[in-house]
């Protein structure tokens, strides 16, 4: 039987395309990785200081703390911040790693996201193993975390910050009401699969998945159009 030249040519073309894409994107990824700090809109010290000031000013009043934080962020970074924290349509459920809470997107781009995440009744789950560093600034309530081999929980209260290093994983719990300013820096798009997994395999909550895609896409595309990756 004569060899199937069309199949062989098709495979060669596919491998060539893959090779070209790897050759093009590898240096881009390398340059972005080397310059994440300079490409970032939000600074780590800025967010931690802002969170602590909000907690000190308003105590357990979560709404006032969120308003305080978003107002200052919008004043300092007007082109990159979604200021509509008090619009119910900007909030939606997030089911990920078995945990469930509400979230509102302050900023989302290819290399950064900044959100308010929390719940008024408590939740527990898997942090996910992510392609970005995650900084969880507790505003009200407590977050507990656990890693295998330890016999006591890590406990983070208002004004503290829980740093989940890129590529690491923990069990976490908000035992009661808890809200946080969550900031991630690194490669954000791969993290979205973790955010969609429960909705596609467990809750099957298509309207929430739709809102997640629409609001995240709106912010990411909007930032790309003004040159923010």
């Amino acid at each position: 039987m004569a060899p199937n030249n069309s199949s062989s040519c098709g495979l060669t073309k596919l491998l060539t395309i893959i090779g070209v894409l790897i050759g093009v994107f590898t240096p881009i990824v390398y340059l972005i990785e080397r310059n994440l700090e300079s490409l970032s809109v939000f600074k780590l010290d800025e967010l931690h200081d802002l969170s602590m000031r909000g907690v000190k000013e308003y105590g357990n009043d979560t709404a006032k703390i969120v308003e305080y934080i978003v107002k200052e962020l919008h004043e300092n970074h007007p082109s990159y911040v979604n200021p509509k924290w008090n619009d119910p349509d900007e909030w939606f459920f997030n089911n990920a790693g078995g945990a469930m809470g509400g979230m509102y997107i302050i900023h989302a781009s290819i290399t950064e996201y900044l959100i308010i995440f929390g719940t008024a009744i408590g939740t527990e789950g898997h942090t996910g193993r992510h392609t970005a560093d995650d900084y969880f600034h507790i505003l009200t309530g407590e977050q507990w975390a656990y890693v295998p081999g330890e016999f006591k929980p890590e406990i983070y209260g208002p004004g503290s910050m829980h740093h989940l290093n890129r590529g690491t994983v923990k069990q976490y719990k908000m035992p009661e009401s808890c809200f946080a300013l969550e900031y991630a820096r690194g490669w954000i798009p791969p993290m979205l699969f973790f955010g969609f997994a429960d909705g596609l395999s467990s809750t099957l909550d298509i309207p929430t998945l739709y809102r997640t895609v629409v609001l995240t896409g709106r912010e990411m595309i909007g930032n790309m159009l003004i040159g923010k990756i």
Side-chain angles (χ1 to χ4, degrees):
M1 183 181 291
N4 191 336
N5 290 329
S6 61
S7 297
S8 178
C9 289
L11 179 60
T12 300
K13 287 180 180 179
L14 177 61
L15 292 175
T16 300
I17 291 170
I18 293 173
V20 169
L21 290 175
I22 291 173
V24 169
F25 284 105
T26 297
I28 294 174
V29 170
Y30 175 77
L31 286 172
I32 292 174
E33 282 284 348
R34 295 274 294 183
N35 295 281
L36 268 178
E37 175 71 28
S38 60
L39 290 171
S40 298
V41 170
F42 306 98
K43 305 306 178 188
L44 301 180
D45 290 344
E46 169 195 17
L47 296 175
H48 189 48
D49 175 68
L50 179 56
S51 298
M52 289 193 298
R53 285 190 282 114
V55 169
K56 184 178 180 180
E57 183 74 19
Y58 293 106
N60 290 322
D61 192 335
T62 307
K64 285 291 186 182
I65 297 173
V66 171
E67 179 182 17
Y68 178 85
I69 288 171
V70 174
K71 181 180 178 182
E72 183 165 321
L73 288 172
H74 189 246
E75 289 173 353
N76 294 339
H77 313 284
S79 298
Y80 304 106
V81 167
N82 168 24
K84 296 179 286 187
W85 71 273
N86 57 348
D87 182 349
D89 290 336
E90 294 294 318
W91 289 84
F92 54 94
F93 276 126
N94 176 256
N95 293 86
M100 182 176 184
M103 66 177 280
Y104 144 66
I105 301 173
I106 299 173
H107 171 91
S109 59
I110 300 300
T111 57
E112 292 179 280
Y113 84 61
L114 184 63
I115 67 172
I116 300 293
F117 174 79
T119 172
I121 60 174
T123 192
E124 179 180 5
H126 188 293
T127 60
R129 196 180 298 273
H130 298 302
T131 51
D133 282 282
D134 189 89
Y135 303 86
F136 211 74
H137 302 270
I138 307 300
L139 304 178
T140 54
E142 285 186 346
Q143 185 196 47
W144 300 354
Y146 169 74
V147 292
E150 297 294 331
F151 296 96
K152 294 183 179 180
E154 302 169 13
I155 299 178
Y156 301 91
S160 65
M161 186 269 289
H162 178 194
H163 177 201
L164 183 69
N165 289 286
R166 187 192 313 208
T168 62
V169 64
K170 296 180 182 181
Q171 177 188 9
Y172 80 96
K173 181 177 184 177
M174 295 169 164
E176 296 179 340
S177 177
C178 179
F179 286 85
L181 176 70
E182 183 177 4
Y183 174 63
R185 178 187 290 176
W187 294 99
I188 305 306
M191 298 176 70
L192 299 178
F193 296 107
F194 176 72
F196 295 153
D198 279 14
L200 293 171
S201 64
S202 176
T203 68
L204 303 180
D205 184 358
I206 303 306
T208 291
L209 283 173
Y210 174 78
R211 291 189 66 197
T212 304
V213 171
V214 168
L215 294 175
T216 304
R218 182 194 69 190
E219 295 302 314
M220 282 192 165
I221 293 170
N223 280 301
M224 288 180 67
L225 291 175
I226 58 174
K228 173 64 179 78
I229 60 172

